[in-house]
Amino acid sequence: MNWTAAVAVWIWDNRTGRNALRKYGVVYAGMLLLVFIYGIVMYDFSAGDSGRIRVAGVTVPVSELLNEDEDVYSVFYTDSFTDTNLINTKRKLENVAEELLTKTVQEAQAGAKIVVWSELNGAVLKEDEAALLQKASEVAKEQQIYLFVSLLVKTPGEDYKENKVIVLNPFGERISEHYKFGRSIGELCQEGDGELKYVDTEYGRIATFICSDMAFTSKIRQAGREGIDILMIPASDWQEMTAIALKTAIVRGIENGCSIVRQTNCGTSVAADWRGNISATGNYFQSDTKTITAQVLTEGRFTAYAYIGDLFVWLCGGYLFITFTTKKKRNRE
């Protein structure tokens, strides 16, 4: 779109030079035609409709506890907590975990083969992490599902928390672990390495990123290069920014040829395919269950963008720089 605007201005400024207009008009029209042809081919003729799988995203309102509850807030975000705060926090988070596991079982029994928790939902103290993962492992094994366990692990007295996703297979085995790397300003969490972790399943190649990880296009292009079919995105928003985050996730799926399932706290959850077609949404503030389910494509597609990124933009910028400096040098001479 930026190039179109620049070309339109150039044509207007050089409207008396017919030969130049013809030359550059052909170049522009040819490039635009190629873009449209590529888009039509990728949208209408690419592989990717071979099968679908039921995926569920579940959320339990935990943000209120983390941000407003005196006990939980003091343990997770301050050093001035008491033993009573600690005991109460353990109890309250255990209740959240039990509700999460109950919702997971319900969705599995309704037919979901993959279940993902939203970011922060598995809030847990470090000493209780193993017990929570053991329960989640038993659910995954009993229900024969892939379970994306989104955790916020806090060691009392330490500043940095662990914001991560652990993937369990239908045997209850831990097969992947991803730490969030796209941390928001002021987010005191251990920084991940930004390397894509994926698992090959009978439902396609599946990977996960967390919330603001999706803002880093150079990292997300790993999904396209590695042939990811479904990208799971546990997230946590706030009401004013959720629309932008939702659209960003959908665009990343289109750019990299994969379906996305973005399950979020305090925002709008979404499932969309690599064409950008939305199959399910759920508004945290309007939903009673705060759960979404969708039939998700199990096969992605190749995209050139995953390999070349914004190369065309950089080439245009390079051409502009060279033209400007060359012209400036000539003027000096």
Side-chain angles (χ1 to χ4, degrees), residues 298-315:
T298 58
E299 186 177 349
R301 66 166 184 188
F302 165 86
T303 68
Y305 183 82
Y307 294 90
I308 67 173
D310 297 320
L311 176 62
F312 181 71
V313 176
W314 287 109
L315 289 175

Side-chain angles (χ1 to χ4, degrees), residues 40-326:
I40 291 170
V41 170
M42 295 303 291
Y43 189 88
D44 290 325
F45 300 105
S46 294
D49 291 321
S50 59
R52 293 178 180 268
I53 189 69
R54 185 180 173 112
V55 178
V58 301
T59 295
V60 172
V62 71
S63 295
E64 289 83 350
L65 274 178
L66 291 171
N67 296 321
E68 299 174 13
D69 183 86
E70 179 181 353
D71 295 313
V72 179
Y73 183 88
S74 64
V75 171
F76 269 72
Y77 298 109
T78 76
D79 293 326
S80 59
F81 56 88
T82 65
D83 289 340
T84 300
N85 293 143
L86 199 58
I87 293 170
N88 290 339
T89 295
K90 288 168 65 73
R91 174 177 53 80
K92 292 172 182 178
L93 294 182
E94 284 172 0
N95 291 337
V96 172
E98 288 302 320
E99 187 175 353
L100 268 174
L101 294 169
T102 298
K103 283 189 171 186
T104 299
V105 170
Q106 291 173 345
E107 293 306 319
Q109 292 178 348
K113 299 300 182 184
I114 304 171
V115 178
V116 58
W117 297 354
S118 58
E119 185 185 10
L120 313 180
N121 247 204
V124 65
L125 300 180
K126 187 65 178 179
E127 62 190 75
D128 299 324
E129 179 186 5
L132 174 57
L133 285 173
Q134 180 59 37
K135 291 180 180 179
S137 174
E138 291 170 359
V139 168
K141 184 176 181 179
E142 290 171 0
Q143 302 300 323
Q144 291 292 284
I145 59 172
Y146 287 91
L147 179 55
F148 287 71
V149 180
S150 183
L151 299 176
L152 181 68
V153 183
K154 172 67 176 179
T155 300
E158 293 186 9
D159 290 334
Y160 284 85
K161 299 175 280 293
E162 300 173 45
N163 190 340
K164 61 186 180 181
V165 176
I166 293 175
V167 185
L168 304 172
N169 68 11
F171 298 102
E173 301 167 335
R174 185 186 304 192
I175 56 175
S176 179
E177 185 175 50
H178 171 77
Y179 281 77
K180 183 177 183 179
F181 63 88
R183 300 172 300 173
S184 302
I185 296 174
E187 187 173 4
L188 296 178
C189 293
Q190 297 179 23
E191 185 178 10
D193 58 15
E195 296 299 317
L196 181 75
K197 315 299 193 301
Y198 63 80
V199 294
D200 288 312
T201 76
E202 60 269 42
Y203 311 123
R205 179 168 286 186
I206 307 175
T208 185
F209 280 123
I210 302 174
C211 198
S212 52
D213 288 351
M214 299 296 288
F216 297 84
T217 56
S218 61
K219 297 293 186 181
I220 304 304
R221 290 208 304 273
Q222 294 177 87
R225 294 194 294 269
E226 296 293 345
I228 301 304
D229 298 301
I230 305 174
L231 188 60
M232 314 298 291
I233 313 166
S236 185
D237 296 340
W238 58 91
Q239 197 164 10
E240 291 76 14
M241 62 82 64
T242 190
I244 296 174
L246 179 150
K247 293 174 183 176
T248 298
I250 295 173
V251 170
R252 297 290 177 262
I254 296 170
E255 290 172 345
N256 295 285
C258 57
S259 296
I260 62 105
V261 178
R262 187 179 192 271
Q263 180 66 20
T264 181
N265 285 309
C266 301
T268 302
S269 301
V270 65
D273 64 21
W274 46 259
R275 291 187 175 105
N277 295 323
I278 296 174
S279 53
T281 60
N283 189 314
Y284 176 94
F285 303 100
Q286 297 176 0
S287 171
D288 293 330
T289 63
K290 307 190 190 308
T291 298
I292 68 168
T293 58
Q295 294 294 329
V296 178
L297 287 173
T298 58
E299 186 177 349
R301 66 166 184 188
F302 165 86
T303 68
Y305 183 82
Y307 294 90
I308 67 173
D310 297 320
L311 176 62
F312 181 71
V313 176
W314 287 109
L315 289 175
C316 289
Y319 175 78
L320 178 63
F321 176 77
I322 292 172
T323 301
F324 176 78
T325 53
T326 302

